[in-house]
Amino acid sequence: MKAAIMPLSRLPSLSSLRAFEAAARRGSFKAAATELHVTAGAVSQQIKGLEADLGVILFTRKIRAVHLTPHGQALQPVLSDAFLAIRQAVDAIRPGKTPPRLRINSSGPIIGKWLLPRLHRFTELRPDIFVNIETEGGVNAMTEDGPDIVIRYAHAAPSDLHSIKLHTELLIPVASPQLLAARGIRSPDDLHKAPILHVANPMRKRQRPAWARWSNVAGLADQSTRQDSVMFQPLAADQVVDAAASGVGIALAQSLLAHGALSDGRLTCPFGPVIPSGLSYYLCCRPGRETVPDIAAFFDWAMHEAAVLTTLNALHSES
């Protein structure tokens, strides 16, 4: 005797479920409305209708924010996974499907000094993926219409995104071999023989300049106050690396950005100490998107490429 099959209950409208999923994921009716190209009022009405249909409250509403109730928390991840699966299935069977486009967003220095010099290895590995590189602009806008992946330089992993640490940043004294030889620079005591290069202000508010922190560890007078320094504007860490490689002076370079010039001999680390910057690089995507094949492929490739950077951490332990 076959067991009786219980009939499935009627589903709420797809539009109300989609409005709820977007608002739950974004934490805002207004942000959901922007994503869905409707008004915030329309989103609110769809969710009210869904709550009435289900007989439960999905959001607690406050003046400037909305928060998921336990019922909403239980429903949101299931719906997010379901909508993602539907989107992928539909894309997979579209006639004349174009190669998937992977939008990668980060700052100019990260793109120029780390991503672009090795991106050919990813495109050779995955020629089926059309890579679109975006500099800044939407780095914080991880919406459905925003970039697929961002590479962030931050103090901690963003709590609202799926994140993997790519590299823990170090600050390394670097200079061109030609400058070091010409000026007879062999130890920290020789720093006065060449200009120092540094960025105008630190990444963290109220944090001491990098050269000041380095000087303290090295047991030297504060090098950040020297008159013969060359100052660069914020977000110009790549220019500091280029200037050092050109022989302008001695830089305290970010390890990820200086790795290429250190590897090909345009720069060398003449002495320690090597100190942590207090920041790291993170690969980020919207929660739930990390399993999308193209995003997962880039994450795997990027982590493999970043593994070589761990050799720089030996400089820190030896200094």
Side-chain angles (χ1 to χ4, degrees), residues 10-25 28-29 32-33 35-36 38-56 58-59 61 68 72 75-76 79-80 83:
R10 179 187 57 81
L11 286 175
S13 72
L14 183 63
S15 58
S16 67
L17 291 173
R18 192 169 183 219
F20 163 76
E21 189 277 334
R25 174 167 39 81
S28 163
F29 287 2
E35 180 177 314
L36 299 175
V38 297
T39 66
V43 169
S44 178
Q45 288 302 314
Q46 289 279 7
I47 293 173
K48 285 181 179 178
L50 178 61
E51 290 175 325
D53 193 351
L54 296 176
V56 298
L58 299 172
F59 286 100
R61 295 153 171 87
L68 288 169
L75 185 59
Q76 185 265 325
L79 284 181
S80 292
F83 280 121

Side-chain angles (χ1 to χ4, degrees), residues 192-265:
H192 66 278
K193 297 180 180 179
I196 61 166
L197 315 176
H198 57 138
V199 177
N201 61 347
M203 287 285 294
R204 183 183 297 172
K205 292 181 179 179
R206 296 183 297 278
Q207 184 183 49
R208 297 174 66 199
W211 270 112
R213 289 183 282 130
W214 183 90
S215 301
N216 183 63
V217 176
L220 299 176
D222 186 354
Q223 299 296 303
S224 68
T225 60
R226 284 173 45 177
Q227 297 299 310
D228 62 339
S229 63
V230 179
M231 190 79 71
F232 292 80
Q233 292 303 306
L235 302 179
D238 54 337
Q239 297 176 19
V240 174
V241 172
D242 291 338
S246 298
V248 176
I250 301 175
L252 198 57
Q254 296 174 15
S255 55
L256 181 138
L257 305 184
H259 181 262
L262 286 167
S263 299
D264 63 24

Side-chain angles (χ1 to χ4, degrees), residues 39-308:
T39 66
V43 169
S44 178
Q45 288 302 314
Q46 289 279 7
I47 293 173
K48 285 181 179 178
L50 178 61
E51 290 175 325
D53 193 351
L54 296 176
V56 298
I57 300 299
L58 299 172
F59 286 100
T60 57
R61 295 153 171 87
K62 298 184 178 180
I63 295 177
R64 291 190 175 88
V66 292
H67 300 284
L68 288 169
T69 66
H71 291 299
Q73 292 172 3
L75 185 59
Q76 185 265 325
V78 178
L79 284 181
S80 292
D81 289 345
F83 280 121
L84 178 59
I86 292 170
R87 188 178 299 111
Q88 291 173 348
V90 170
D91 287 344
I93 65 170
R94 288 185 189 277
K97 182 187 175 187
T98 58
R101 183 179 63 155
L102 188 65
R103 295 172 60 189
I104 303 169
N105 187 298
S106 193
S107 67
I110 295 173
I111 289 173
K113 291 299 182 191
W114 185 78
L115 180 59
L116 293 186
R118 47 188 49 79
L119 185 62
H120 65 280
R121 292 197 280 269
F122 179 73
T123 57
E124 289 168 2
L125 182 68
R126 294 298 306 270
D128 57 311
I129 299 177
F130 177 75
V131 178
N132 187 2
I133 304 298
E134 303 174 358
T135 303
E136 288 298 322
V139 71
N140 292 314
M142 292 297 286
T143 65
E144 186 169 339
D145 296 326
D148 299 296
I149 296 169
V150 297
I151 307 174
R152 285 189 178 173
Y153 184 51
H155 303 297
S159 60
D160 59 332
L161 300 175
H162 172 79
S163 305
I164 299 177
K165 184 183 288 187
L166 185 69
H167 175 62
T168 299
E169 187 65 274
L170 302 174
L171 297 176
I172 304 176
V174 296
S176 71
Q178 295 79 12
L179 176 70
L180 297 174
R183 305 288 180 93
I185 300 172
R186 297 181 178 84
S187 73
D189 292 332
D190 296 324
L191 270 177
H192 66 278
K193 297 180 180 179
I196 61 166
L197 315 176
H198 57 138
V199 177
N201 61 347
M203 287 285 294
R204 183 183 297 172
K205 292 181 179 179
R206 296 183 297 278
Q207 184 183 49
R208 297 174 66 199
W211 270 112
R213 289 183 282 130
W214 183 90
S215 301
N216 183 63
V217 176
L220 299 176
D222 186 354
Q223 299 296 303
S224 68
T225 60
R226 284 173 45 177
Q227 297 299 310
D228 62 339
S229 63
V230 179
M231 190 79 71
F232 292 80
Q233 292 303 306
L235 302 179
D238 54 337
Q239 297 176 19
V240 174
V241 172
D242 291 338
S246 298
V248 176
I250 301 175
L252 198 57
Q254 296 174 15
S255 55
L256 181 138
L257 305 184
H259 181 262
L262 286 167
S263 299
D264 63 24
R266 288 179 293 128
L267 286 176
T268 187
C269 176
F271 43 72
V274 172
I275 65 172
S277 71
L279 295 101
S280 297
Y281 298 89
Y282 295 92
L283 288 170
C284 308
C285 68
R286 298 201 313 275
R289 297 277 289 168
E290 67 273 11
T291 58
V292 174
D294 299 332
I295 294 177
F298 183 86
F299 271 43
D300 289 344
W301 170 83
M303 294 303 297
H304 176 77
E305 288 288 332
V308 69

